[in-house]
Amino acid sequence: MTLLKVDHLTKNFGGLAAVSNVNLVLEENELVGLIGPNGAGKTTLFNLLTGVYEPSEGDVVLSHSGKETRLNGMAPYKIADLGLGRTFQNIRLFKDLTVLDNVLIAMNSKHKEGFLSSVLRLPAFYKAEAEMKQKAVELLSIFALEDKIETLAKNLPYGEQRRLEIVRALATEPKILFLDEPAAGMNPQETAELTDLIRKIQKDFQITILLIEHDMSLVMDVCERIYVLEYGRVIAEGNPEAIKNNPKVIEAYLGGDL
Ligand SMILES: Nc1ncnc2c1ncn2[C@@H]1O[C@H](COP(=O)(O)OP(=O)(O)OP(=O)(O)O)[C@@H](O)[C@H]1O
Ligand SMILES: [Mg+2]
């Protein structure tokens, strides 16, 4: 079943079409790759899908609970509430807060209904807080961060900061997760571990993932389907094998590492 449909999406920055007439679909439970050379428009597309930018043309439509909702024009927090979570190419953590607090804040944005009981410090508040903490620690342990819960985010090694970003995104309980270069700056061993983790969370949490990544071995390894962007346009779509052998893709990456 189709979860997200991107229909003739365009984003112009002055005279530059950073995203140009893009059509894309995400089916429920798919793990899809989004690749393309630097400046191809990948992050801009994520920014359109998550409400950071409004499209110049086209639509983004989410199918959920039997209805369709147009996401274009909606505020980012509303889109997040509808179940679209993301990480950022440039890590965005609360650097001076602990690992645990970084995750609890992300969860809090989901559990606003407890506001009154939290102000009044009712027993329900302590129960909810204990449950949230337990859930946060469980999520962190999937990403091997359970021993770091009291560490300040800024003191984590880079690879662990990237993993914490994913935990924060998962803490909002997304249906669709957008990962923008999660392996950037990781060494080969960390990348291999991350590959397994991405596969695992997609299966265990039954979510749909759209993954931007320059590490081709990671993309080819985990993705069922891949879109290739060049100069804002989709130049190819298909399974990893088809993408690897697509002459347009090889040409776009000429001199690259495909
Ligand atoms: N806010 C903006 N204002 C003007 N131009 C922008 C803006 N954001 C992105 N661009 C331009 O749009 C194009 C696409 O950028 P984008 O960051 O989406 O590429 P990308 O595929 O994510 O590249 P990379 O692999 O380097 O992260 C680039 O030419 C970039 O300079
Ligand atoms: Mg980018």
Side-chain angles (χ1 to χ4, degrees):
M1 212 181 77
T2 299
L3 202 54
L4 193 78
K5 189 159 177 267
V6 173
D7 193 21
H8 294 93
L9 203 65
T10 294
K11 179 66 185 176
N12 301 313
F13 293 117
L16 173 82
V19 167
S20 183
N21 206 22
V22 165
N23 294 312
L24 174 150
V25 289
L26 296 178
E27 305 289 336
E28 223 162 79
N29 247 316
E30 259 193 319
L31 211 171
V32 178
L34 179 63
I35 66 171
N38 289 118
K42 304 179 297 295
T43 298
T44 303
L45 182 57
F46 269 25
N47 286 334
L48 291 169
L49 301 182
T50 54
V52 177
Y53 297 142
E54 264 194 63
S56 306
E57 282 170 54
D59 284 314
V60 181
V61 179
L62 177 71
S63 303
H64 61 119
S65 342
K67 58 178 180 180
E68 297 204 322
T69 306
R70 263 181 61 182
L71 302 184
N72 23 321
M74 254 186 212
Y77 78 90
K78 280 197 182 152
I79 294 178
D81 275 353
L82 286 171
L84 282 76
R86 73 174 292 179
T87 65
F88 292 88
Q89 188 167 353
N90 308 312
I91 294 175
R92 293 193 190 178
L93 296 169
F94 295 105
K95 305 252 177 208
D96 290 310
L97 293 184
T98 65
V99 165
L100 181 63
D101 283 342
N102 265 278
V103 181
L104 289 176
I105 285 173
M107 282 181 167
N108 256 317
S109 61
K110 188 89 195 173
H111 297 274
K112 299 181 204 76
E113 66 280 0
F115 176 72
L116 198 62
S117 77
S118 76
V119 171
L120 300 175
R121 306 254 152 188
L122 298 175
F125 165 74
Y126 292 105
K127 185 159 174 276
E129 198 183 49
E131 280 170 5
M132 272 168 59
K133 187 177 166 189
Q134 191 191 347
K135 206 174 137 208
V137 174
E138 274 169 23
L139 268 180
L140 285 164
S141 62
I142 295 174
F143 286 79
L145 290 167
E146 73 275 21
D147 295 336
K148 304 278 177 94
I149 59 173
E150 295 305 332
T151 305
L152 297 183
K154 67 180 174 194
N155 293 333
L156 289 179
Y158 193 73
E160 292 184 352
Q161 291 194 16
R162 286 236 168 255
R163 295 214 300 273
L164 179 56
E165 271 249 314
I166 301 178
V167 173
R168 277 178 52 85
L170 284 173
T172 66
E173 299 176 19
K175 293 190 204 61
I176 309 177
L177 180 59
F178 300 106
L179 299 175
D180 197 344
E181 299 198 28
M186 285 189 173
N187 65 37
Q189 198 205 322
E190 287 175 319
T191 303
E193 286 166 8
L194 183 75
T195 306
D196 290 340
L197 277 170
I198 291 173
R199 216 185 265 118
K200 182 179 161 56
I201 55 172
Q202 186 248 353
K203 245 178 73 201
D204 293 358
F205 292 76
Q206 302 238 316
I207 52 178
T208 298
I209 297 179
L210 184 61
L211 170 72
I212 296 177
E213 190 46 68
H214 281 292
D215 187 312
M216 284 307 143
S217 59
L218 196 166
V219 173
M220 297 293 170
D221 198 4
V222 298
C223 294
E224 300 154 58
R225 220 154 51 80
I226 297 169
Y227 286 91
V228 187
L229 276 186
E230 189 190 26
Y231 300 119
R233 294 174 182 279
V234 175
I235 59 162
E237 180 270 322
N239 65 38
E241 208 46 40
I243 291 298
K244 247 186 252 178
N245 297 308
N246 184 311
K248 278 193 200 164
V249 179
I250 294 167
E251 169 114 25
Y253 274 94
L254 222 54
D257 56 0
L258 193 68

